[in-house]
Amino acid sequence: MNRYVDPVSVLGTQVAKRVEPFGDGRRYVRAGQWAWFLAWLVDFVVVVFGVGIGLVALGLIDRQADLGNGASALALLGLPFGVPLAYGLFYGNGRALGAVLTGTQLVRLKDGGRVGNWAPWAMLIRVLLLPLLLVAVLASAFAGGGGSPPGSFVRVSLDVDASRRLWAAESATAVPVTLLAVARPDLWAATAGT
């Protein structure tokens, strides 16, 4: 079991404000708002670029082999959903291009585990449905409705470097006490009573 370490002494005052617990009690450092936004923006740009490439490829294919209006329309409707799903295949460890560039990682909130097989769905929500949700929430807020949707988060972005420093500090403090008990039982017995 890791012992409690004061996050301010390990991370500094500003970063320590972002320390939160997973569902299993282990602590992590939540990614900052700018890092989260920039990771999302990079992923969004990658998806828009992918959709653009898909449109160009679709136009070239339609020019060579007449696909017909139905097939072209279906492909046009499928691109905004298919590209994020395909990009999400690279997101299983929670580190797509945006996360790599900003030093963040998407993990499960209950235990800090990998996103895994839900990665394509998480990417679709992240780059396509989240902007639509934000537009709906803003429109509702300006129309006099509620400001936030119901529900809870399943995944969270963490600051990889700061979380690793916190975890290293928490696990480093448990080893010397164990070594003291094995190497010098007389000192361990003397300190255990105090």
Side-chain angles (χ1 to χ4, degrees):
M1 176 80 181
N2 294 339
R3 83 170 188 105
Y4 178 81
V5 173
D6 181 24
V8 174
S9 65
V10 176
L11 304 169
T13 310
Q14 291 300 318
V15 177
K17 292 177 182 176
R18 295 185 281 132
V19 173
E20 295 180 359
F22 287 122
D24 63 1
R26 192 175 66 159
R27 297 183 305 166
Y28 71 96
V29 180
R30 182 180 29 84
Q33 294 298 320
W34 283 108
W36 181 86
F37 174 74
L38 290 174
W40 173 84
L41 185 63
V42 168
D43 290 338
F44 186 77
V45 167
V46 167
V47 168
V48 168
F49 186 69
V51 168
I53 289 174
L55 289 174
V56 169
L58 183 62
L60 292 174
I61 291 171
D62 189 41
R63 194 175 245 180
Q64 294 296 321
D66 188 23
L67 296 176
N69 290 339
S72 295
L74 186 61
L76 283 173
L77 290 174
L79 277 174
F81 294 96
V83 171
L85 289 172
Y87 183 48
L89 293 173
F90 303 102
Y91 201 46
N93 66 351
R95 302 223 47 207
L97 184 60
V100 170
L101 293 176
T102 58
T104 61
Q105 182 176 9
L106 190 71
V107 295
R108 289 192 313 254
L109 186 56
K110 69 177 183 177
D111 62 359
R114 294 176 44 160
V115 179
N117 294 333
W118 289 99
W121 176 248
M123 185 58 73
L124 179 69
I125 290 173
R126 181 179 176 96
V127 298
L128 186 64
L129 301 179
L130 183 63
L132 295 176
L133 176 67
L134 291 177
V135 168
V137 167
L138 288 175
S140 173
F142 286 124
S148 64
S152 63
F153 290 105
V154 176
R155 292 169 282 278
V156 67
S157 289
L158 61 83
D159 184 329
V160 174
D161 180 55
S163 294
R164 286 184 180 158
R165 284 187 287 143
L166 178 64
W167 296 334
E170 288 177 340
S171 65
T173 57
V175 174
V177 172
T178 306
L179 289 177
L180 180 65
V182 172
R184 295 286 309 269
D186 56 326
L187 286 177
W188 172 251
T191 59
T194 58

